[in-house]
Amino acid sequence: DAGVTQSPTHLIKTRGQQVTLRCSPKSGHDTVSWYQQALGQGPQFIFQYYEEEERQRGNFPDRFSGHQFPNYSSELNVNALLLGDSALYLCASSPTTSIGYGYTFGSGTRLTVV
Amino acid sequence: DQQVKQNSPSLSVQEGRISILNCDYTNSMFDYFLWYKKYPAEGPTFLISISSIKDKNEDGRFTVFLNKSAKHLSLHIVPSQPGDSAVYFCAASLFGDMRFGAGTRLTVKP
């Protein structure tokens, strides 16, 4: 049973460019959340998607946007990249009503902005 | 807004002894609290959770305690094993919006 898969695993971009990260949730999960984890910090909530709509959003600027497809997979887009966007980006999936069972996380995409 | 705090960046214990990891939160509306374990180059792995209406939940060697009046929760690992060495994140959920602490690195020495 495949868990959460993210692609690519590593990415290097130039400041000002745009990037798209991809996530396939665990089978049976329909809710996808995205997190940014800077070095030495805990994951920071970016947003959550359910039924192809953004359901909740953390304290991130509009440069961060996302999308969920009918098959529940999701994309995270970041425009006008800044050096401070360099981080590990984690995707997590869950069944909608099972927060008590936690989220299943992917291994992340390491984004480096130069 | 640091709503979930783990004030100890690291903890070292001897194999077989108890490990106690602590976490404080500020928002009394959180409905679920969770602990995750993270190994290098992997995403966090769910360990155990507790509803805000309970004060204790146990799963094998892992027990989570919740003190709502103090806005504090802790994870007890008994007995600790070298394989438990990892970074542990505390998280709190408000209707599915999960906020994480900065993590505590646990080292269990043989």
Side-chain angles (χ1 to χ4, degrees), chain A:
Chain A
D1 175 26
V4 176
T5 57
Q6 292 186 243
S7 63
T9 55
H10 295 83
L11 202 53
I12 299 176
K13 288 287 190 178
T14 302
R15 188 172 51 182
Q17 284 188 315
Q18 179 263 346
V19 67
T20 297
L21 310 181
R22 295 177 175 83
C23 172
S24 292
K26 181 177 179 178
S27 177
H29 289 186
D30 58 7
T31 301
V32 173
S33 304
W34 286 92
Y35 287 82
Q36 179 195 66
Q37 186 178 13
L39 204 60
Q41 298 183 20
Q44 300 294 312
F45 175 67
I46 302 175
F47 42 55
Q48 183 180 79
Y49 276 85
Y50 171 67
E51 291 189 341
E52 302 179 50
E53 291 193 0
E54 183 180 293
R55 188 161 75 167
Q56 296 199 60
R57 188 179 183 92
N59 188 26
F60 277 79
D62 292 343
R63 299 187 296 107
F64 290 77
S65 63
H67 189 78
Q68 186 179 36
F69 300 93
N71 66 353
Y72 308 126
S73 67
S74 178
E75 289 181 350
L76 164 65
N77 302 293
V78 187
N79 295 321
L81 284 166
L82 304 174
L83 296 179
D85 294 332
S86 295
L88 180 69
Y89 288 84
L90 293 163
C91 172
S93 71
S94 61
T96 50
T97 59
S98 303
I99 184 62
Y101 294 96
Y103 290 172
T104 301
F105 281 85
S107 297
T109 295
R110 171 73 62 186
L111 172 65
T112 302
V113 182
V114 297

Side-chain angles (χ1 to χ4, degrees), chain B residues 18-79:
Chain B
I18 183 172
S19 296
I20 300 176
L21 297 108
N22 295 302
C23 177
D24 298 298
Y25 62 94
T26 57
N27 190 340
S28 59
M29 297 298 292
F30 286 131
D31 54 0
Y32 261 99
F33 301 89
L34 307 95
W35 285 93
Y36 286 83
K37 180 168 70 173
K38 186 178 186 302
Y39 294 117
E42 295 181 11
T45 302
F46 170 70
L47 202 54
I48 191 170
S49 68
I50 186 168
S51 164
S52 61
I53 63 173
K54 297 188 175 182
D55 55 19
K56 177 182 176 181
N57 188 26
E58 192 171 356
D59 183 3
R61 298 186 296 113
F62 302 91
T63 303
V64 57
F65 295 92
L66 177 62
N67 183 333
K68 288 174 61 179
S69 61
K71 295 191 177 67
H72 178 84
L73 70 155
S74 60
L75 175 68
H76 292 208
I77 306 174
V78 183

Side-chain angles (χ1 to χ4, degrees), chain B residues 71-107:
Chain B
K71 295 191 177 67
H72 178 84
L73 70 155
S74 60
L75 175 68
H76 292 208
I77 306 174
V78 183
S80 301
Q81 300 173 353
D84 296 329
S85 297
V87 176
Y88 288 78
F89 290 102
C90 164
S93 170
L94 181 60
F95 307 119
D97 174 357
M98 201 178 324
R99 307 294 172 122
F100 285 79
T104 296
R105 181 176 300 279
L106 172 66
T107 302

